[in-house]
Amino acid sequence: MEVLFATTNPAKVSKYKKVLEEKGIELITINDLDFKLNIEENGKDAIENAYIKAKTYYDATKIPTIGMDNCLFIEELPKENQPGTHVRRVNGKELTDEEMIEYYTNLVKEYGEKLTAKWVYGMVICKENETKQYSWSKEHFYFVSTPYQKRNPGYPLDSISIMPEVNKYFLELTEEDKKQYKKKDNIDEVVEFIVNSLQK
C-alpha cells in the first residue's frame, strides 16, 4: 500500500520507512510529488497541525496521508518563551538546522548549564472519509550548550540532546542504548497505530 507522509523532513521519514515497508506500507513524501502545497500550520498544538497537513494533502492527492507535528516544552523557560509548535520558527523566521542549534544552545547558556526538555508529538492519518489521530510524548532529556560534532538532517536538536539514562548525546547512542531510546520514543506504538489505521 502506498501512503503519503506529508513532510519534507528526512529524519521523520527514515525513522518509520523501513519498519513500515516490512509491513507492506510504502511511504512516499511531498518530495515525490510534482507539486508542493503552501500550508499555514496555525494549529494550537501538534495534533491540530498534523491534521492540517494530513487533510490538505489527502484532499489534493486522494492518497492515504500521514501528517505529523511536534511541540517542544522546556521546563526552565517561562510560558511566554516556550517554543511550543514554533520549534523552528523564531520571531517570524524559519531557522535552518544550524541556526536552530545556535539558537537553542544560546538558550541553554542563558538559563543554565542544561535545560530539561519534553517533546509532545501528534500524528493524524486521513483516508477516504476517515481520520485517526494519535499523540505521545518523549520526556526528561536535556539540551546542553556544546553540540555534538555529528548532525541528523531534519532533527538538528539531536546534536544538543542528552539521554540522561546513559549520559550520552542522542547521536552517539549504541545499539543497546537505542533499544532504551526506542521504547522512550514510542516507535513500536506509533507503527502499530499507522498499520491499524490503514487497515480496511
Side-chain angles (χ1 to χ4, degrees):
M1 171 189 283
E2 188 177 78
V3 176
L4 174 62
F5 199 163
T7 185
T8 56
N9 187 326
K12 285 183 180 178
V13 178
S14 63
K15 183 178 285 190
Y16 301 108
K17 188 173 180 64
K18 185 177 178 182
V19 67
L20 287 173
E21 281 177 352
E22 293 168 358
K23 298 181 181 297
I25 296 170
E26 180 191 354
L27 281 186
I28 65 170
T29 73
I30 294 170
N31 294 331
D32 298 312
L33 303 176
D34 57 4
F35 65 92
K36 182 178 178 181
L37 301 174
N38 186 21
I39 298 177
E40 186 178 355
E41 296 177 34
N42 55 6
K44 71 178 188 295
D45 56 29
I47 282 287
E48 286 193 5
N49 279 342
Y51 175 80
I52 290 167
K53 288 185 269 195
K55 184 72 166 61
T56 304
Y57 271 95
Y58 175 74
D59 287 346
T61 65
K62 299 307 178 189
I63 300 170
T65 302
I66 299 169
M68 182 178 173
D69 199 40
N70 43 283
C71 296
L72 176 63
F73 299 95
I74 299 173
E75 196 173 286
E76 293 80 1
L77 298 189
K79 184 176 181 181
E80 64 271 17
N81 291 346
Q82 289 294 339
T85 58
H86 300 290
V87 180
R88 194 178 277 270
R89 293 189 298 278
V90 176
N91 298 323
K93 181 188 177 186
E94 188 89 359
L95 302 183
T96 65
D97 281 7
E98 289 302 316
E99 286 171 338
M100 283 182 71
I101 291 170
E102 180 182 4
Y103 175 77
Y104 285 95
T105 54
N106 284 336
L107 276 183
V108 177
K109 292 170 186 173
E110 181 180 351
Y111 284 92
E113 293 181 9
K114 62 183 181 182
L115 296 179
T116 311
K118 170 185 176 179
W119 288 108
V120 177
Y121 299 88
M123 181 176 282
V124 171
I125 297 178
C126 287
K127 61 167 193 162
E128 298 162 358
N129 296 317
E130 190 175 28
T131 301
K132 299 281 183 74
Q133 67 180 47
Y134 181 62
S135 183
W136 69 102
S137 64
K138 181 170 65 182
E139 301 184 36
H140 307 304
F141 64 96
Y142 302 112
F143 287 150
V144 293
S145 60
T146 304
Y148 192 60
Q149 62 268 28
K150 286 174 63 178
R151 298 290 185 264
N152 184 8
Y155 279 164
L157 299 185
D158 283 0
S159 295
I160 62 167
S161 297
I162 299 285
M163 183 176 174
E165 291 88 345
V166 291
N167 197 31
K168 293 179 183 176
Y169 287 95
F170 283 6
L171 294 179
E172 63 174 345
L173 298 178
T174 65
E175 289 306 312
E176 191 59 36
D177 297 332
K178 286 177 182 176
K179 288 179 183 176
Q180 288 188 56
Y181 176 73
K182 186 178 178 184
K183 291 175 186 174
K184 196 170 185 175
D185 211 26
N186 282 46
I187 292 175
D188 291 338
E189 289 86 349
V190 176
V191 168
E192 183 180 1
F193 162 73
I194 294 171
V195 172
N196 289 343
S197 297
L198 293 170
Q199 290 174 343
K200 293 291 184 183

